Each structure stands twice: as structure tokens, then as C-alpha cells.
Amino acid sequence: MNFGVWFKTYRRSLFKLFIMVIFVGGGFAQFFHKHIQTVSKNPWSSFQTQIAKCWTPLSGSNQPKVDIKLEVNPDRTIQVAEVVDKARYDKDQSFKTSADMAIHALNDPACHQLDLPLDKYEEWKEIFLTFDPKDVP
Amino acid sequence: MKHNYFTAFCLAILCLILPFSAHADIHVDITRGVVEPIPIAIPSFFGASGTESQYGRNIAEVVSNDLVRSGLFSAVDSKAFVQDGDSLLVAPKFADWRVLNTQALVVGKIEQQSDGRLKVEFRLWDVFAEQQMTGLAYFTVPNNWRRVAHIVADAIYKRITGESGYFDTRIVYISESGIATNRMKRLAIMDQDGENNHVLSDGSALVLTPRFSPTMQEITYMAYYNNRPRVYLFNIDTGHYEVLGDFANMTFAPRFSPDGNKVIFSLSENGNSNIYTMDLHSRRTTQITSGASISTAPCYSPDGQHITFESDRGGSQQIYTMSATGGNVQRISFGEGNYGTPVWSPRGDLIAFTKLHGGHFYIGVMRPDGSGERMLAEAYHAEGPTWAPNGRVLMYFKESPPGAAKSTRMYSIDLTGYNEREVPTPTDASDPAWSPLLP
């Protein structure tokens, strides 16, 4: 069987295989993208440390994690800090307490000006922070 | 068919590209923080008259002591305060308080009403955000000021930590006095901070293992009146006491069910002991365990569906759980040594216990399935853990080794194993039992 005949016979299978490879590749791409993002957090490690020093989570309790959306001014001060899940904030007392503690951290004078690279404003003008006490003793 | 292939092809390409196109947002996880007490400033509550000012000073002091003793707060030094009670009522100068590293500020006011009652009001401020977090007012008779102070402390604790407070509670315990060979053990009660101490029994009989009713009206305990060891019920309000049931043998280790309708206890028979319950309305007794072993120190789970207890049925003293009717018995302690006096946390997530290993006693906690065992305190002799109603703090007693300075004192400790503090009592003290929040 020459290649032309072989291709004609298996072209549908080949196309299906091609589509599958792209789908699986997409999945892998997402997986690696996530990890690449984690690695890319390194430029923000000093920022991470700064916020951690302003945050006083309650030790020994199972506080829920809270997502906060930050809008940051070019001078690295916080313009807006808001709880992402507002509906839960209104009805879950435990979540409300965690969220209040996170916002309290962002109001700490030590976190007034954020430790962010000045030349990358376009990257950090909007930041999503997750306060997750999983490593708190 | 060609159209379907084209659609599939486009979807696949999209799938490949999408993750990269959504790269605009920065996500940062904060998983560690600063675990240290929150600095809180509690200036004296403002009072216009001398009497009101005195109440204002007293209440602020009790609130501050409650919060600091919890280990979750530190009091900003009053000598550094930048505003007094009067000017604070107009408007706190937040910038000045921030300089003192104050994170929370309590501003209060006392007013005596025409009927003699006190109006106690306070506001809790978030100094960083310059926002009021909560504000409440209470009316009370003047000699109840201390209790109102505990209620204010509970409100502040709950607003900041999200957990219920435990300051408006009492402790019943055994007041001990006299030499070791002739020790007098009397039933006593006090506020959780050691104030308002009252002795409830005259010392004519040895009293042990008092436990609060969840309804707060009664205490159950074991006493040797006329040298007959029995479980008793004692009404705190009336002072009336009665023996629980009419059993030929010794009854001991009583504890109320979570709804307060039953008492669970041990009954000794032929060198063994088993667990029974008594319905306090019908006075009907139900046997929960049976067998030729010692099963004792029973304690219900907060939902009343399970019981934890200690038993030597496996050859050594260990902790078990079972259903409230006695089925599905499971051993949960498997570490080295002997385990006893299990007490289920009001949250339901942990069981506190006493452990004896290598000649030392330990107070520890584990999950109800026996996992996550960790020790919180160690002593020559430590025993009798009892939970604060919020399940965050434990109290127990420690006895020092025999000698000239032998003493038995009660201590509280945070669930994290930090902040161990002696609970002040006028005499030696043991067997504490923490009440629920006062109604």
C-alpha cells in the first residue's frame, strides 16, 4: 500500500488522533501554565512577605480562605480592596471574620505602600490575593 | 461531516490558546501570617460623676484582663494612651492610636439612670480602617457591673475572632485544704477569672468530680456523705441537694447529657463498673455497657449521639467511643501509656484526655476517631480537663510532687498548647468544670 492510499484509508482516524493530541496538549498546557504561574510568583515574593507580616490570622481555628481583589495605584498604594465573594460575606459569619481580618491586614500602615516592582505596573495594577491560613499553626 | 471536523479543529485550537490568553491577572497566595496577640487599647469607660468614673475604670480593667488572659490580645499600655474617655466619645484620633500600634480601640461610657441602674455602652473601633466594628449598650444593677464587663469582653472577642467568647461563665471546682492525711475537699464555684468565689459544701463529706448542667441550674457530683459514695444533684440557686437514684453500690463519675435531661454515670458492681444513664424526669435507669471490666468516665458528644469513656476491657486503660445506646464500641487511643477522663469538645471536633506514660501525666487532645493526638501540658500529676464553652480553651489541675511546697492548682491553656495560665483560687483547687455561657 503506497502512502497516498494509506493516508486516504486512515485520514479520518488520523484527524481524530490530531484533535485528541491538541485537546490533551491543551490540558497539559493548562497544567504547566498553572505551574509556570506559580514559578512566576517569585517576582512577587517580597510583596507576599510584606502582606504576611500585616496579617494576624487566628491560630488554632479553621478559618475559611478568602479571596480579595486589589486595585493598586501607580504609586503602589491600594486604591480598592474588596472581598470577591460578597454573597458569602453577607451570610457566613466565619467567612466575614476571615475577610475582615484580611482587609484589616491591607489597612495596616506597614502595608500602605506595597512592595511591588515599579516598572511592572501593568502587571500588578490588579491583584487577586488569597488569604489561606493552611500554614498557620 | 467536514463541518463537524472544522468545528472540532477550532475547539481544539481554542483549548490550546485559552489558558495563555487569560494570563492577565496576578494571583498571590498568603498562607502564613503573624501569630501574635492583637494590640487592643481599652481606656477607662467615661463617667461624668465620681461613682460612674469608678465603674468605668473597673469595667475597662475587667474587659482588658479577660481579653489579655485569652492570649489572643495584648493590652496597649495605658500610660501611653493619647486620649481620655471624654474626648474619645467625641471622635477617636486614629492616627495617634496607630502610632501606638493599636489595632483595636474600645471606647465606653457609664451613665447611672434615675432608677439607680447603670447604662454601660461601648464602641469597638478598627483603628486601621477607622471604622466602628460593633457598638452595644446594656442596663444593669450596679452590683452586676462585673458580669456586664464579661459580656462586653465576650462581644469584643466574638466580633474580632469570629468565635463565641467564654468570659461570662463560671467554674465549679473542688476547694482543697488541710494536710494530705486529712484533706478537706469542698465544692466551690467562681467566675472564670477567679472572682466571686463561693464554697457550696460544708466540708463534712468528701466531694469529687463536679459537673455543670447545660441548663445552669444544677451541678452533679460524687460525694461520700455518711461514708457512702453516691452521685448527687445540687441546685445552685436553692442550695437543695439530693442523691441520684437508690443503688446498693457506689455510683460515680457523673456527667449531664447535652440537653440536661439525663445524667450518665458509673455504677460499681463486684469489682467491675459499668455505665448507666438516668432520665431526670422519669428517674428511669438504663444500662449502657456490660461486662467484667471497668468502664467509666463517660461523656456525651455535643449532639448527644455518641459517648466517649475509658475502659480496661482490652487489658489496659484506654479511651473508647460508642453510640449513645451502647453499640458500635471502638477503641480510639493507641499511643503508649494509659488514657483516661475523655471529654468531648463543645465543637465536637476533639476529645480531651489525661494520659499517664513514663511516670508523667499529660493533658492532650485527639480527634473522635483517635487521629491527630497531641499533648498540651505535662506535669507530675495533671488531670481533669474541662472545655470552655467555645471549645478553644481547656482547664485542668496540676499537682506538684510530694514535699514541703506541695500544691494543687488549676490552669487554663489554649487549644494550640500556648498561653498556659494559673487560675487564681484562694485555696488549693482541683477537678474544675466549666459552665456554658450564662443565660
Side-chain angles (χ1 to χ4, degrees), chain A residues 4-136:
Chain A
V5 176
W6 179 85
F7 182 77
K8 210 168 183 178
T9 308
Y10 294 108
R11 65 181 182 191
R12 283 186 182 176
S13 301
L14 280 170
F15 192 76
K16 282 177 187 169
L17 184 69
F18 174 67
I19 296 294
M20 265 178 63
V21 165
I22 289 181
F23 267 109
V24 172
F28 272 110
Q30 288 204 24
F31 176 79
F32 283 115
H33 174 62
K34 198 176 174 186
H35 284 261
I36 287 161
Q37 263 211 318
T38 306
V39 173
S40 74
K41 277 178 197 160
N42 284 341
W44 320 111
S45 64
S46 54
F47 166 66
Q48 224 170 354
T49 306
Q50 180 192 22
I51 300 293
K53 283 180 180 171
C54 293
W55 185 39
T56 50
L58 191 60
S59 176
S61 67
N62 300 317
Q63 287 186 299
K65 61 181 181 182
V66 176
D67 292 323
I68 305 286
K69 182 186 170 189
L70 282 186
E71 288 175 26
V72 187
N73 294 314
D75 66 356
R76 298 180 293 167
T77 57
I78 297 169
Q79 189 178 64
V80 180
E82 59 182 18
V83 180
V84 173
D85 192 345
K86 292 186 182 68
R88 190 174 174 195
Y89 181 87
D90 291 335
K91 63 186 179 193
D92 182 341
Q93 183 58 44
S94 172
F95 183 80
K96 182 179 191 297
T97 302
S98 291
D100 285 349
M101 283 181 169
I103 296 289
H104 183 77
L106 298 167
N107 283 320
D108 190 317
C111 285
H112 176 68
Q113 193 160 49
L114 303 175
D115 197 351
L116 295 162
L118 271 171
D119 57 337
K120 294 181 179 172
Y121 177 63
E122 281 307 310
E123 289 180 48
W124 49 253
K125 66 181 180 183
E126 195 171 279
I127 302 172
F128 286 88
L129 282 175
T130 299
F131 287 85
D132 181 357
K134 67 180 181 184
D135 296 329
V136 174

Side-chain angles (χ1 to χ4, degrees), chain B residues 82-96:
Chain B
V82 289
Q83 278 185 285
D84 59 17
D86 194 9
S87 67
L88 275 166
L89 290 173
V90 180
K93 294 173 184 168
F94 293 110
D96 293 346

